Amino acid sequence: MPHSSLDYGATRGTRIASTTDTTMQPQMLPGIIILNEKYFPESDVSPAKVGATSIAFSVMNLLGGEGLFAGMILYRREEGIFHPRIELQTKSSIVCGILSFNFDMARSKIRDAISAAAKMLTVKTYGSARLVILYHQTDTMLVYNPEWFPSCVTHHGPFHDDFVKHFSIEKAATAFGSPEKAQHLKKHQRIGLYRLRQSRNMFVLQHSLLQRRYLLSKNIDAHKIHKMVPPININTGSHQQLSSSHPEIKTFMRAKPSLLLFTAVARLDFFKNVELLVDAGVELLRRHLPVRVLIAGGEEIEGSRRSAILGCVPAAFKAEFKVVPKLSKDSLYALFDQVRDDGIFVCPSRYETLGITPLEAAMNGVTTIIIDSRNVEASHYFPRENRFEGSVVGLASLVEKFHKEGMQGRGVELQGKIRKQISDEKFRNSFLDAWRSFSKAARH
């Protein structure tokens, strides 16, 4: 891949400011998206690794259509180096500045490296340095944001302190991977909130009322928080048939007449609570309801995690359950096509700052049910009849009700209700309104 690089040690401590002529700027400033490199998809057809990936690429496409996309800064932690390094690469036709750093470095070094990366990207894209808005997908790099660049952030992941308030410190360690990871997240989120409070030209582009409530409780100025209607994909193009991409799923679904209960997640972690779906499936089979349960999630290498989930199923019912690695977007849409008349997408999450996949399922005409919880953002988009009380009995009872009343037309009816709240136009308008506001504030 074509690339150029810069060892930032040679220019440490030097502020690199944008030297743009504001008389030549359009009404809105260009943007650079800042994303953890490990969340960048491996290919155009790879499944999104986290919700931040999906939304970042929707924003990229929107900015690109407006002539306002200057590239991405992809950051990676690299221990053992003493100065940040920047390398320009083209990944999936996107010009990216790869920023290598570690948390032992002085903040000013990382700040100046981000500034240099922004300059390199704008020179590459526009032929000269430009003032840009830096769009962060998490709090991690907010503390390093150059104060001479306006910026915004979307909080995709849960706030540690808010999660602990609803669950516990012990559960946070489980959910975030370890006590050390949980404490690291807590530290950097608190630093990020401090920067948000103190910075004049740092804003929030928020897709979640759950997150907004928390930010307001931490004294973030409401005028800094701009709502973005989330971009949710609708299956409009042609795609590979499920029978060719995942024949084992097709075979499982067609083994015998039954109602398919399924969910699809990027990670099989504490937040997703797929065990609730497993237990509800067992309960329904004990009620002699003909159901099959399909769970798609996690990386290919996480076979032991999938085996552990299946290990919770009594031997008599194991044939009615299948757990597979996460699906690509194309395969997920193919699955949606297959189950519109005899399947239910289930979102049993404990804590979800949005919940893109259940909204995608509903907007693609699939009957979808979701846990009734203020801690699952997507829940408030769904009508009451599509929400279940967060217990095995609550989930099983709603599925049994749908089965008895019939599935015909449920997905189409739900689709209409969700599309009144979420659409490409609403995403576009809400995002550009916020971006225009950020651009205006940056010039005053």
Side-chain angles (χ1 to χ4, degrees):
M1 289 180 284
H3 65 275
S4 60
S5 64
L6 170 68
D7 185 334
Y8 206 71
T11 55
R12 61 185 180 273
T14 303
R15 168 173 165 165
I16 300 182
S18 298
T19 56
T20 183
D21 179 358
T22 57
T23 62
M24 298 296 291
Q25 288 182 339
Q27 183 181 7
M28 291 182 286
L29 295 174
I32 290 174
I33 295 173
I34 300 179
L35 185 69
N36 192 324
E37 187 191 32
K38 69 182 181 181
Y39 296 149
F40 193 94
E42 291 154 12
S43 72
D44 291 341
V45 297
S46 299
K49 298 191 176 183
V50 290
T53 304
S54 176
I55 290 182
F57 275 71
S58 293
V59 167
M60 178 195 73
N61 290 331
L62 176 53
L63 287 175
E66 298 290 321
L68 298 172
F69 179 61
M72 282 190 174
I73 294 176
L74 302 178
Y75 62 88
R76 62 162 76 126
R77 288 178 64 179
E78 188 172 333
E79 305 303 331
I81 61 175
F82 300 99
H83 308 292
R85 286 204 300 260
I86 306 163
E87 181 181 10
L88 280 192
Q89 290 185 10
T90 300
K91 298 168 70 77
S92 300
S93 302
I94 301 166
V95 180
C96 300
I98 312 300
L99 170 63
S100 301
F101 80 106
N102 60 61
F103 291 110
D104 290 331
M105 295 174 181
R107 289 181 184 178
S108 60
K109 287 185 178 182
I110 302 170
R111 176 202 64 191
D112 289 347
I114 292 173
S115 183
K119 180 178 179 180
M120 292 169 71
L121 287 171
T122 56
V123 169
K124 178 77 172 177
T125 303
Y126 300 110
S128 63
R130 296 276 186 98
L131 180 65
V132 292
I133 298 172
L134 301 179
Y135 178 22
H136 298 259
Q137 303 301 303
T138 176
D139 299 87
T140 303
M141 305 300 284
L142 284 186
V143 67
Y144 308 115
N145 193 89
E147 58 269 22
W148 48 92
F149 280 114
S151 62
C152 62
V153 59
T154 296
H155 298 97
H156 295 282
F159 283 110
H160 173 277
D161 291 350
D162 189 56
F163 181 86
V164 167
K165 182 175 71 176
H166 297 288
F167 295 92
S168 67
I169 292 176
E170 292 73 24
K171 288 290 191 295
T174 299
F176 295 116
S178 70
E180 293 75 23
K181 288 181 179 179
Q183 286 302 309
H184 177 83
L185 186 67
K186 174 182 177 180
K187 173 186 173 182
H188 282 275
Q189 286 178 341
R190 288 184 173 181
I191 293 171
L193 289 173
Y194 177 79
R195 278 300 304 272
L196 270 175
R197 281 192 295 267
Q198 298 299 314
S199 300
R200 179 188 63 81
N201 62 347
M202 187 176 286
F203 306 94
V204 179
L205 192 54
Q206 204 63 63
H207 59 51
S208 170
L209 291 173
L210 176 67
Q211 300 280 36
R212 179 185 175 86
R213 286 193 297 267
Y214 179 76
L215 291 171
L216 292 175
S217 76
K218 295 301 178 181
N219 299 316
I220 303 300
D221 187 342
H223 291 96
K224 283 190 170 186
I225 306 173
H226 295 254
K227 181 181 179 181
M228 174 180 67
V229 175
I232 305 298
N233 294 315
I234 301 174
N235 178 14
T236 55
S238 59
H239 49 258
Q240 189 177 22
Q241 294 296 310
L242 193 65
S243 54
S244 58
S245 65
H246 289 79
E248 78 284 6
I249 294 179
K250 195 70 177 287
T251 301
F252 173 73
M253 290 165 53
R254 291 194 166 181
K256 63 182 181 182
S258 58
L259 175 64
L260 182 75
L261 307 179
F262 74 107
T263 198
V265 297
R267 297 170 174 173
L268 293 168
D269 58 21
F270 180 85
F271 297 106
K272 303 304 181 184
N273 196 24
V274 297
E275 291 80 6
L276 178 59
L277 174 56
V278 171
D279 292 343
V282 171
E283 171 64 21
L284 287 163
L285 288 165
R286 285 176 173 155
R287 296 184 190 183
H288 305 291
L289 200 74
V291 298
R292 309 206 99 190
V293 176
L294 171 67
I295 296 170
E299 302 292 343
E300 289 277 356
I301 61 173
E302 295 181 272
S304 59
R305 175 72 178 114
R306 287 187 285 276
S307 296
I309 292 170
L310 279 176
C312 298
V313 180
F317 299 136
K318 280 193 186 295
E320 313 305 328
F321 290 78
K322 190 168 190 63
V323 187
V324 300
K326 63 183 177 182
L327 302 177
S328 68
K329 192 69 70 178
D330 202 46
S331 296
L332 182 64
Y333 287 158
L335 179 58
F336 289 163
D337 282 347
Q338 294 289 319
V339 301
R340 283 195 178 95
D341 296 325
D342 54 6
I344 299 177
F345 184 96
V346 182
C347 175
S349 294
R350 289 185 175 92
Y351 193 105
E352 197 81 67
T353 53
L354 180 56
I356 292 175
T357 312
L359 289 169
E360 279 186 306
M363 291 185 70
N364 281 282
V366 177
T367 299
T368 304
I369 59 177
I370 189 166
I371 194 166
D372 189 6
S373 171
R374 279 170 56 91
N375 292 329
V376 177
E377 177 68 16
S379 176
H380 84 262
Y381 288 101
F382 285 79
R384 182 66 190 88
E385 59 267 24
N386 287 75
R387 289 179 268 156
F388 58 87
E389 183 263 321
S391 67
V392 171
V393 172
L395 173 50
S397 297
L398 184 58
V399 170
E400 188 171 36
K401 177 177 182 290
F402 277 22
H403 182 261
K404 286 180 179 178
E405 293 176 354
M407 295 290 296
Q408 196 65 35
R410 283 190 181 276
V412 174
E413 182 181 355
L414 176 63
Q415 181 184 50
K417 292 178 179 179
I418 300 295
R419 286 191 180 183
K420 288 180 180 178
Q421 305 171 75
I422 296 174
S423 68
D424 287 341
E425 182 181 12
K426 290 181 186 297
F427 161 59
R428 174 186 171 80
N429 290 342
S430 65
F431 180 89
L432 291 180
D433 283 349
W435 202 259
R436 195 172 291 111
S437 176
F438 302 158
S439 300
K440 181 179 179 181
R443 293 198 178 99
H444 290 84

